[in-house]
């Protein structure tokens, strides 16, 4: 069975701090994809990144970076120099290609609060 | 271009009534997904359409739930004889159609069953 675990339910930081959101996944598929989505207070899920299981290179996009480690089945997300606008719920998701047809399995989400 | 749109944005209904929720995917996207977001269950997959293939209905919670997609575009999720536990935000997403292509989400329909 596929599963995504985001152990951190809520995180609170002060602006300009760095913060890492953890994501651990389980799958038997050999080919799979991992995603991060942001859900701001407005409610709409915003796509952040998609990474396939054969690409373990870390990725950086501005203040955002992602660390994918197959050895520990983790796909962690770091925000550098956090800002108030980063306050949102962040979801990690898994999609298995072999058997799942592309549907997303979501973690429970981490609510990030960035205070000024 | 335009994103995924959903209507209505909010729906309040009485227990036992039927409701229809609509989703307009991004133009050209062949795959369409419905998910449900509720406090107790998080984000759950409901149903998936890909082109002209039979839909994957494996996530539908009961036979009161059904969905159709007309002309490979607009989709309607129907909930019959609504129950209070159906109260949730129903999210629609679309993708270009390849396996595990990025899914882009609509703003959702918040359903409240009184």
């Amino acid at each position: 069975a596929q599963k995504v675990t985001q152990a951190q339910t809520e995180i609170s930081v002060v602006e300009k701090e760095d913060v890492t959101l953890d994501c651990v996944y389980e799958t038997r598929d050999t080919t799979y994809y991992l995603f991060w989505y942001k859900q701001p207070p407005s409610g709409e899920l915003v796509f952040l990144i998609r990474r396939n299981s054969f690409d373990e290179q870390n990725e950086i996009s501005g203040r955002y970076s992602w660390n994918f480690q197959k050895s520990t089945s983790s796909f962690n997300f770091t925000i550098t120099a956090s800002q108030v606008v980063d306050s949102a719920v962040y979801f990690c998701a898994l999609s298995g290609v072999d058997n799942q047809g592309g549907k997303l399995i979501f973690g429970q989400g981490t609510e990030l609060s960035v205070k000024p | 271009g335009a994103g995924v749109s959903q209507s209505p944005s909010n729906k309040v209904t009485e227990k036992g009534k039927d409701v229809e929720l609509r989703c307009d995917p991004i133009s050209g996207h062949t795959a369409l997904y419905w998910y449900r977001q509720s406090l107790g269950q998080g984000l759950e997959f409901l149903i998936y359409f890909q082109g002209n293939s039979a839909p994957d209905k494996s996530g539908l919670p009961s036979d009161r739930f059904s969905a159709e997609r007309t002309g490979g575009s607009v989709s309607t999720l129907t909930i019959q004889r609504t129950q209070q536990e159906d109260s949730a935000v129903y999210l629609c997403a679309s993708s270009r159609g390849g396996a595990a292509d990025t899914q882009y989400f609509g703003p959702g329909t918040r359903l409240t069953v009184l």
Side-chain angles (χ1 to χ4, degrees):
Chain A
Q2 297 193 324
K3 185 179 179 181
V4 176
T5 301
Q6 295 179 255
Q8 304 149 309
T9 306
E10 297 178 10
I11 299 176
S12 182
V13 298
V14 176
E15 206 169 20
K16 298 184 182 177
E17 283 186 24
D18 299 347
V19 58
T20 295
L21 283 59
D22 297 333
C23 173
V24 174
Y25 63 92
E26 296 175 28
T27 182
R28 292 181 182 176
D29 287 350
T30 55
T31 303
Y32 54 90
Y33 288 79
L34 296 162
F35 300 80
W36 277 93
Y37 285 86
K38 174 182 180 180
Q39 188 173 43
S42 60
E44 191 159 342
L45 279 166
V46 178
F47 165 74
L48 296 178
I49 189 171
R50 169 179 178 261
R51 177 53 57 89
N52 76 56
S53 53
F54 299 107
D55 182 2
E56 287 194 70
Q57 281 193 342
N58 291 335
E59 178 142 349
I60 298 175
S61 176
R63 295 183 298 106
Y64 295 170
S65 62
W66 291 269
N67 184 344
F68 176 30
Q69 291 195 340
K70 288 180 77 170
S71 61
T72 55
S73 297
S74 65
F75 186 45
N76 296 337
F77 172 33
T78 297
I79 302 174
T80 302
S82 60
Q83 300 177 0
V84 172
V85 292
D86 296 328
S87 296
V89 181
Y90 291 86
F91 291 94
C92 181
L94 167 69
S95 180
V97 173
D98 297 347
N99 298 304
Q100 303 300 318
K103 66 186 178 190
L104 293 171
I105 306 299
F106 286 90
Q108 290 299 307
T110 297
E111 182 171 5
L112 174 65
S113 176
V114 182
K115 303 187 185 306
Chain B
V4 177
S5 61
Q6 293 186 245
S7 60
S9 55
N10 280 283
K11 177 71 176 179
V12 180
T13 191
E14 294 179 350
K15 178 181 173 181
K17 301 276 190 178
D18 297 351
V19 295
E20 287 189 351
L21 313 180
R22 176 187 168 105
C23 173
D24 280 273
I26 294 171
S27 177
H29 281 192
T30 61
L32 187 147
Y33 302 78
W34 284 97
Y35 295 86
R36 177 169 73 173
Q37 186 173 24
S38 56
L39 281 176
Q41 302 298 322
L43 273 157
E44 307 172 275
F45 164 78
L46 297 177
I47 188 169
Y48 159 51
F49 296 90
Q50 171 56 63
N52 295 321
S53 302
D56 175 356
K57 305 179 182 179
S58 60
L60 294 179
S62 78
D63 58 9
R64 295 186 296 104
F65 288 71
S66 63
E68 63 177 19
R69 189 177 185 192
T70 53
S73 181
V74 172
S75 177
T76 302
L77 177 69
T78 301
I79 309 173
Q80 296 179 312
R81 304 181 302 282
T82 52
Q83 304 294 313
Q84 287 184 331
E85 61 262 30
D86 299 335
S87 295
V89 176
Y90 290 82
L91 293 164
C92 177
S94 71
S95 74
R96 286 180 301 175
D101 269 352
T102 298
Q103 295 177 31
Y104 296 93
F105 284 80
T109 293
R110 181 174 296 278
L111 175 66
T112 304
V113 182
L114 302 177

